[in-house]
Amino acid sequence: MKYIVVTGGVMSGLGKGITAASIGRILKNRGYIVTAVKIDPYLNIDAGTMNPAQHGEVFVLRDGAEVDLDLGNYERFMDIELTNDHNITTGKVYRTVIEKERRGDYLGETVQIIPHITDMIKCQIKEAAESWRGSEGPADACIVEVGGTVGDIESMPFLEAVRQMHGEAAPGDFVLIHVTLVPADTMGDLKTKPTQHSVKALRELGLYPDIIVGRSDLPIGSNTKRKISAFCDVPQQAVISATTAPDTYQVPMELEKEGLADVLTDLLRLEVHEPSNDWYRLVTREYLHRITVAIVTKYGIEDVYISIKEALKHAGRSLSTEVNIRWIDAEDCTNGVLSEVDGILIPGGFGTRGIEGKIEAIRCAREKRIPLLGLCLGFQLSVIEYARHCATIPDATSEEMGDGTHVIMILPEQEGEVDLGGTMRLGDYPISIKAGTLAEKLYGTGEITERHRHRYEVNPEYIPLLEEKGLIFSGRNGDRMEILEIPDHPFFFATQFHPEFRSRPTRPSPPFIGFVKACMAEKKTAER
């Protein structure tokens, strides 16, 4: 197993996750099988209870793990599926060590950060890397991203574990890549001092970078690279310029141009394979059309909806259509604004704020025949809107929202649940699709698997009435409703699951493809 560890310095948010994902794509383009591990130094067991407005999207893996959004980037870039083992947090590590101590596994030893915590970190990294199996077999290499920045107190045990891994690894089996900031001053000169200080802090921990990736808005020239090389003890060809790209999916291509692949394969002693250009042809495909989609939100941070943004991009690119997103606050939503867009998307979420605005947006889409895609909460609110205005239940609502007729109810297995973390209906579930429906047309099959994250469902008591009034539940998991649609509408489609989590640039999600196609068709009709 080859290990490629990615650390960051100077500041957070530099793009370590995209860099790590791009490295995986570069190796995959050369025929290697890759997997990835994300280390998050926070004390949370997972990302499930974290405020998305502060931390970004909670991504859900196939086994139901609620994880950091960077694992979503790994899955999209590398076209792989990961599990709970591939997101290591301080909470997970310490909980495991303490449980072992309580059982007496340490035979009376004094349990300490070194060696017990660091040994557990190394163990979890290696188990995640070596036990993973993709469709093509076990991995040749594992990319390990260490969250946070060098110098963070929370990261110290993880960096020490990485140092030990480096010392234990055979020659050619370990590469350390350090991502750092190379800012420009007011005169446009690139400054190397932040990089120098960051590498100095790394070296004080016993870690010596093999490759430095410099993040900058301007290309890093040879003189600046020479300076970084001299001060940081890396070859000049191992100083890689990573300028801000117009599309994150083009980052692997930009790193290729900088020669990262050649440096990496040389350090890892990998056979040099001719790279496939399929990815680059895909992500540079020209747009021939353009549509505007409104996403009716209740969180003002775009990173909360990163998988939805990417899924729209995947579908749009496959159809040579640029999808422009108009973010609309659910509390300020008006029919006038919504009438100006080609489609409306209602994403997931929790809580009561903005709910009535989302319901009005759904009503607008239904009555004005604007293509609509509802996801999770969007599915539940579509049921509520239809019940209120088409099924004569004016006080229809969700049990989550308070008093009224609960056409949406809490899942029976969730009743009395007091723990919030990891207790929702999570991960992959099979779904049976009704023949002759839009869902069957989109998926091209009668059986699918999609990922979930919810506590509420359609109340079975009201399903016969809703169907009698014209609502079609075209996808089901046993007695649980999963997909709804309205016939004789350009596109009114909602899912209890999150199709965005399984969307890839190479395999766009069927509901998103159908939605973008419908938006394109309605735009052409309006222009005639």
Side-chain angles (χ1 to χ4, degrees):
M1 178 65 63
K2 309 285 187 179
Y3 289 96
I4 304 161
V5 176
V6 181
T7 60
V10 184
M11 60 177 285
S12 60
L14 279 180
K16 291 195 309 299
I18 295 296
T19 301
S22 298
I23 292 166
R25 172 42 63 177
I26 287 170
L27 290 174
K28 183 153 187 173
N29 287 346
R30 280 166 166 70
Y32 292 103
I33 304 172
V34 290
T35 187
V37 170
K38 172 66 189 295
I39 292 173
D40 283 306
Y42 45 67
L43 280 169
N44 303 62
I45 298 296
D46 57 41
T49 59
M50 300 174 85
N51 185 341
Q54 295 177 14
H55 191 70
E57 175 185 75
V58 176
F59 191 78
V60 178
L61 302 177
R62 68 184 183 190
D63 62 354
E66 298 170 288
V67 297
D68 183 85
L69 59 83
D70 281 319
L71 279 89
N73 288 324
Y74 301 161
E75 290 205 346
R76 287 186 284 268
F77 274 70
M78 304 180 213
D79 197 6
I80 58 177
E81 290 200 339
L82 301 172
T83 66
N84 184 46
D85 293 340
H86 294 85
N87 191 198
I88 298 172
T89 69
T90 299
K92 282 183 183 177
V93 172
Y94 276 69
R95 181 175 67 177
T96 305
V97 170
I98 290 169
E99 287 173 350
K100 285 169 68 69
E101 184 273 331
R102 291 288 83 189
R103 289 197 303 266
D105 291 3
Y106 295 115
L107 300 175
E109 291 181 54
T110 301
V111 180
Q112 298 174 293
I113 302 297
I114 302 172
H116 301 97
I117 294 296
T118 51
D119 282 352
M120 182 55 64
I121 292 167
K122 289 187 293 181
C123 177
Q124 291 189 0
I125 291 172
K126 290 175 181 178
E127 283 186 0
E130 294 172 7
S131 65
W132 182 85
R133 295 291 183 275
S135 58
E136 300 168 325
D140 301 307
C142 178
I143 294 120
V144 181
E145 179 193 347
V146 183
T149 58
V150 174
D152 292 347
I153 192 168
E154 297 93 341
S155 302
M156 292 301 178
F158 296 101
L159 293 172
E160 170 59 21
V162 167
R163 186 194 67 78
Q164 293 178 21
M165 284 182 65
H166 193 182
E168 295 164 2
D173 284 354
F174 187 100
V175 166
L176 178 60
I177 299 177
H178 192 53
V179 182
T180 184
L181 179 68
V182 185
D185 63 15
T186 55
M187 301 296 290
D189 295 326
L190 293 175
K191 312 305 289 184
T192 66
K193 196 63 70 177
T195 297
Q196 293 177 43
H197 284 299
S198 180
V199 171
K200 180 183 178 183
L202 197 63
R203 289 161 67 98
E204 288 172 351
L205 298 172
L207 289 165
Y208 300 84
D210 300 294
I211 298 171
I212 293 175
V213 175
R215 286 284 292 112
S216 177
D217 289 330
L218 301 173
I220 300 173
S222 57
N223 288 338
T224 304
K225 287 183 178 181
R226 192 179 303 116
K227 191 173 181 181
I228 292 172
S229 171
F231 279 100
C232 300
D233 284 338
V234 296
Q236 186 172 331
Q237 65 267 27
V239 180
I240 306 298
S241 173
T243 54
T244 303
D247 184 343
T248 55
Y249 295 119
Q250 294 178 19
V251 173
M253 183 168 59
E254 298 304 316
L255 297 180
E256 283 267 18
K257 291 177 183 176
E258 281 287 303
L260 176 60
D262 296 332
V263 176
L264 199 55
T265 52
D266 182 55
L267 288 169
L268 292 172
R269 303 182 183 182
L270 293 170
E271 291 183 25
V272 178
H273 298 162
E274 191 67 26
S276 166
N277 292 320
D278 292 349
W279 175 271
Y280 305 128
R281 284 196 293 267
L282 174 66
V283 301
T284 56
R285 183 181 294 171
E286 289 189 13
Y287 292 126
L288 303 177
H289 315 283
R290 181 180 292 109
I291 61 171
T292 300
V293 169
I295 298 183
V296 183
T297 77
K298 60 184 295 181
Y299 307 109
I301 310 297
E302 292 184 17
D303 272 358
V304 174
Y305 307 104
I306 189 169
S307 289
I308 292 173
K309 287 167 54 182
E310 298 306 311
L312 286 170
K313 189 188 295 183
H314 304 162
R317 198 176 288 284
S318 72
L319 299 168
S320 300
T321 299
E322 183 179 11
V323 181
N324 292 327
I325 296 175
R326 184 174 298 179
W327 301 96
I328 297 179
D329 191 315
E331 294 180 299
D332 299 323
C333 192
T334 64
N335 285 356
V337 173
L338 294 173
S339 298
E340 299 171 357
V341 299
D342 304 307
I344 298 171
L345 191 151
I346 311 295
F350 299 91
T352 59
R353 186 175 61 81
I355 292 302
E356 293 303 321
K358 290 191 176 213
I359 291 173
E360 281 305 305
I362 294 167
R363 182 178 185 179
C364 175
R366 182 178 57 80
E367 293 180 347
K368 296 192 175 182
R369 299 178 60 78
I370 302 170
L372 175 122
L373 179 60
L375 308 173
C376 195
L377 178 64
F379 168 87
Q380 296 170 7
L381 297 182
S382 296
V383 172
I384 291 171
E385 190 281 327
Y386 201 86
R388 286 183 183 179
H389 303 116
C390 301
T392 62
I393 311 176
D395 66 340
T397 188
S398 168
E399 193 173 347
E400 182 182 12
M401 311 308 167
D403 295 335
T405 300
H406 294 151
V407 295
I408 302 295
M409 59 177 280
I410 194 164
L411 293 164
E413 61 268 29
Q414 293 287 317
E415 289 188 36
E417 183 63 64
V418 293
D419 290 336
L420 296 181
T423 57
M424 283 186 273
R425 184 170 181 251
L426 294 162
D428 281 0
Y429 284 90
I431 297 155
S432 299
I433 293 179
K434 187 176 181 180
T437 59
L438 174 59
E440 185 187 50
K441 181 180 177 182
L442 292 175
Y443 280 98
T445 182
E447 297 290 334
I448 62 171
T449 298
E450 291 281 10
R451 296 184 191 175
H452 298 69
R453 186 174 188 250
H454 64 108
R455 293 188 192 277
Y456 296 83
E457 66 170 338
V458 181
N459 189 336
E461 181 182 342
Y462 296 96
I463 291 172
L465 174 61
L466 292 166
E467 290 182 320
E468 179 187 327
K469 296 297 182 179
L471 191 64
I472 294 176
F473 289 107
S474 52
R476 303 184 181 214
N477 172 258
D479 295 328
R480 196 154 278 163
M481 302 301 106
E482 294 276 6
I483 305 173
L484 68 79
E485 55 190 72
I486 296 177
D488 303 321
H489 188 284
F491 190 90
F492 194 102
F493 193 86
T495 67
Q496 180 60 79
F497 50 84
H498 289 268
E500 68 271 21
F501 289 151
R502 300 189 77 228
S503 184
R504 309 281 188 268
T506 51
R507 294 185 290 111
S509 166
F512 281 85
I513 289 179
F515 177 58
V516 172
K517 276 185 180 178
C519 293
M520 292 167 61
E522 287 307 299
K523 181 172 184 174
K524 288 178 181 178
T525 302
E527 288 174 347
R528 289 195 186 107

